[in-house]
Amino acid sequence: MVGYLVINSFLLTEKFKKLYEMLVISFSKKGISLEIKQAKDLSLRVDELKVNKPDFIIFYDKDIYLASRLEYLGCKVLNNSKTILLCDNKILMYQELFKNNIRIPKTFIAPKTFENIEYNNTDFLIEIEKELGFPMVFKEAYGSFGEQVYLVEDHKSALDLIKKIGYKDFLIQEYIASSKGKDIRINMVNHKVVSSILRYNEFDFRSNISNGGKAIKYELNEEFKELAIKASKALNLDFGTVDLLIDENNHPIVCELNSNPQFKSSFDVTNIDLSDYIRDYIISKL
């Protein structure tokens, strides 16, 4: 049996290389060859696949164009292109979660503009400010590692940020002050909880470890587990993470989901290797 691990052609940091190595080693323990393929090496042409079709593909990229082409050519792709799209585009993600009655922060989607026009009218911001107050959180539709997430303290800062964002799609959310600098990351496979950690950052409202955050092992109660499972099912997540915020009454709120998580940090804290669970799940599906 041969599978492909499709990775981004340009995100080749040591942290991700270690994650890919963990997956390859895990599959090898069951006699399965997991070959790493950069996205650019599979094919840039719409109507062909440059390599022999594998038994399965673990798609560790966000290139939905390639993922959907591979599906059309008959490849078994996990996660599938629709799930990757919903996880990668925060606007689509929150809309899908809302449709499935899953608790999210109060969320407003900025009206769409275009390149060379940008946001030349910001009247929409006034009504959002009345509803949310300050501070509030701006999130670009696309972004990773917390880099495109901003805490805005006043109207002028909001206007400055909108100018910086330019024509890109973004949303505005209420700030969950009780979860400042912390969230719960839950690693999921087949809509089941595998492990969970509490991420925290004393110097930033974002908890991302890539931004200086730290993590400890965290035991979930049933309410948190149930919400994570419900969110995972809503986005049809084969494997990935669900990040939960904590409100002032210690109840969970979904922050976001990730279809290709950097789970090395969770492994360092819990010693639970998500690779093995992904492997066993894929074997069960073949």
Side-chain angles (χ1 to χ4, degrees):
M1 187 181 296
V2 175
Y4 290 167
L5 174 59
V6 177
I7 67 172
N8 186 271
S9 304
F10 312 104
L11 183 62
L12 302 172
T13 63
E14 287 303 317
K15 192 172 183 179
F16 272 94
K17 287 180 180 178
K18 179 60 180 177
L19 181 150
Y20 304 148
E21 180 185 338
M22 291 171 68
L23 284 162
V24 170
I25 291 173
S26 179
F27 277 84
S28 70
K29 292 176 182 176
K30 295 289 185 178
I32 300 171
S33 174
L34 185 63
E35 300 178 7
I36 297 176
K37 301 287 185 181
Q38 291 188 26
K40 67 179 178 60
D41 296 328
L42 289 180
S43 183
L44 300 180
R45 224 176 101 170
V46 171
D47 59 343
E48 72 171 10
L49 182 63
K50 283 185 178 178
V51 291
N52 295 326
K53 189 168 71 174
D55 295 293
F56 64 91
I57 293 175
I58 299 176
F59 204 85
Y60 241 84
D61 196 4
K62 296 184 178 182
D63 187 344
I64 58 167
Y65 310 116
L66 175 58
S68 60
R69 288 206 306 276
L70 293 172
E71 289 167 345
Y72 180 75
L73 293 170
C75 298
K76 186 175 186 60
V77 181
L78 303 99
N79 285 287
N80 66 59
S81 59
K82 182 179 178 181
T83 295
I84 294 168
L85 174 63
L86 290 174
C87 289
D88 192 33
N89 184 320
K90 292 181 175 63
I91 292 174
L92 295 179
M93 178 186 67
Y94 287 116
Q95 289 185 154
E96 194 69 20
L97 291 171
F98 171 76
K99 281 162 52 179
N100 284 272
N101 299 310
I102 292 170
R103 190 183 182 201
I104 59 174
K106 290 180 185 177
T107 302
F108 293 81
I109 299 168
K112 187 170 183 62
T113 188
F114 301 96
E115 192 172 4
N116 299 323
I117 298 177
E118 302 186 357
Y119 288 93
N120 56 18
N121 185 323
T122 56
D123 290 349
F124 67 91
L125 185 60
I126 302 300
E127 294 304 314
I128 297 175
E129 290 175 1
K130 289 178 182 177
E131 180 72 22
L132 298 183
F134 289 103
M136 53 189 182
V137 176
F138 278 51
K139 295 181 178 180
E140 295 181 27
Y142 295 98
S144 300
F145 313 117
E147 293 297 326
Q148 290 75 33
V149 179
Y150 314 93
L151 187 65
V152 175
E153 300 284 357
D154 52 46
H155 181 71
K156 182 181 183 305
S157 298
L159 293 177
D160 290 343
L161 181 55
I162 290 173
K163 184 176 181 179
K164 175 184 175 182
I165 289 172
Y167 67 93
K168 291 180 285 187
D169 300 334
F170 71 96
L171 57 86
I172 304 174
Q173 287 185 323
E174 68 172 315
Y175 174 51
I176 309 298
S178 54
S179 205
K180 178 182 178 182
K182 65 180 178 181
D183 69 4
I184 298 168
R185 165 150 289 194
I186 305 171
N187 296 293
M188 311 284 296
V189 176
N190 192 24
H191 314 310
K192 297 180 177 66
V193 173
V194 174
S195 62
S196 55
I197 59 174
L198 174 67
R199 302 188 301 177
Y200 63 97
N201 192 327
E202 299 175 1
F203 307 104
D204 198 308
F205 79 101
R206 299 163 298 180
S207 63
N208 304 75
I209 292 174
S210 57
N211 288 329
K214 299 178 181 178
I216 57 174
K217 189 175 179 180
Y218 188 85
E219 293 296 328
L220 299 172
N221 64 31
E222 287 304 313
E223 182 183 15
F224 282 71
K225 286 181 182 178
E226 289 175 7
L227 185 59
I229 292 168
K230 190 175 180 182
S232 175
K233 289 180 177 179
L235 270 61
N236 193 27
L237 195 69
D238 287 308
F239 61 85
T241 59
V242 179
D243 295 340
L244 301 180
L245 303 175
I246 308 167
D247 74 9
E248 66 277 8
N249 296 311
N250 291 317
H251 296 303
I253 307 171
V254 173
C255 178
E256 63 181 49
L257 284 77
N258 194 334
S259 63
N260 52 352
Q262 219 307 338
F263 58 80
K264 174 64 167 55
S265 299
S266 294
F267 173 75
D268 291 340
V269 173
T270 65
N271 204 35
I272 296 174
D273 191 346
L274 197 68
S275 302
D276 294 342
Y277 290 83
I278 294 172
R279 176 201 66 204
D280 293 345
Y281 168 66
I282 290 176
I283 290 173
S284 74
K285 298 288 284 184
L286 297 176

